[in-house]
Amino acid sequence: SLSLSWPRPRSLGAQELISRTRGSPRSFAAVSEGCRSTPAASIPFVACVAAFLGALAARGSQRHEMRTRRAATQMQRINKSRVATQTKTEMKQDRWALIARAPIRKEKWWQFWKPVVIRVGLKVFTVSEFAEVLTRGVPELTNLKAMQAASELVDSAMVNDVGTAVVISATQQEADRHRMRLAAQCPDLTLTVEAMD
């Protein structure tokens, strides 16, 4: 007589089920598929439980890793923002202004035709002449900036007894150097170096 023997299905252990599903983004589906494709008698209950727990641990590890990466990226952005803000603050705190103060000669209302002049000691300067004095004392100052500073001083003196104007802004050391050079060109001009807001 001819006897046929069928091979018994191989039993899947917990380690093999875990190794099949490890690293897969669909770990739970893979474990379920593995349990369904293998006869129930050949899969120990403990093996299935271990496989599910392993898949759960792998998925939790992936989520934790993603959260850690996102947190690290966010911290890098925050640190860059803090460094940029600190740099801007330090640059702003290091800006100093060279201030010039002088009155103008105020004519009577019927003498409106006379040009506005700036009084510096016993001398008087027109706006363009005063701008030339500024450029000689501060070579870094352009003609346009010098005219703007002279006009600012005149506008301020129109409503105050003494006009005030910012000649140039720089670091404290550079502003003090500009003050000494301009004072040498025009000793009677009141000059101060003040921190900018």
Side-chain angles (χ1 to χ4, degrees):
S1 63
L2 180 63
S3 62
L4 298 177
S5 61
W6 297 94
R8 298 181 60 186
R10 187 170 57 89
S11 175
L12 295 179
Q15 294 297 327
E16 187 171 354
L17 283 174
I18 295 174
S19 63
R20 287 189 179 185
T21 59
R22 183 175 299 166
S24 174
R26 303 177 61 183
S27 300
F28 291 102
V31 170
S32 300
E33 182 66 24
C35 290
R36 286 196 300 267
S37 62
T38 306
S42 62
I43 302 179
F45 176 74
V46 177
C48 284
V49 172
F52 274 106
L53 292 177
L56 179 63
R59 190 171 183 179
S61 177
Q62 291 177 357
R63 289 182 176 180
H64 177 71
E65 184 178 358
M66 291 178 63
R67 287 196 297 265
T68 303
R69 290 180 180 177
R70 290 175 182 174
T73 303
Q74 186 67 20
M75 285 300 298
Q76 289 178 356
R77 293 176 180 174
I78 293 174
N79 291 335
K80 289 181 180 179
S81 178
R82 288 177 178 175
V83 171
T85 303
Q86 182 178 1
T87 303
K88 290 181 180 179
T89 303
E90 291 176 353
M91 291 178 63
K92 184 177 180 180
Q93 292 177 350
D94 197 33
R95 302 306 293 177
W96 293 73
L98 174 59
I99 307 295
R101 292 181 173 85
I104 61 173
R105 188 177 66 189
K106 298 180 179 179
E107 306 292 349
K108 301 298 182 180
W109 66 269
W110 65 83
Q111 297 174 320
F112 62 89
W113 51 271
K114 290 186 177 181
V116 177
V117 293
I118 301 171
R119 290 166 43 194
V120 180
L122 299 177
K123 298 180 181 180
V124 293
F125 301 95
T126 63
V127 175
S128 58
E129 290 172 347
F130 187 75
E132 292 178 2
V133 172
L134 296 179
T135 54
R136 287 197 301 268
V138 185
E140 291 84 352
L141 200 64
T142 63
N143 293 332
L144 178 60
K145 292 293 185 181
M147 285 295 296
Q148 290 177 350
S151 300
E152 180 184 348
L153 189 143
V154 171
D155 292 341
S156 176
M158 289 288 187
V159 295
N160 300 286
D161 294 335
V162 178
T164 304
V166 176
V167 179
I168 193 173
S169 62
T171 62
Q172 184 177 12
Q173 184 178 1
E174 292 175 349
D176 194 60
R177 179 171 55 85
H178 294 321
R179 180 190 62 80
M180 292 187 293
R181 294 182 62 175
L182 186 55
Q185 289 288 331
C186 192
D188 295 327
L189 181 61
T190 303
L191 299 169
T192 57
V193 175
E194 301 177 8
M196 298 183 67
D197 296 333

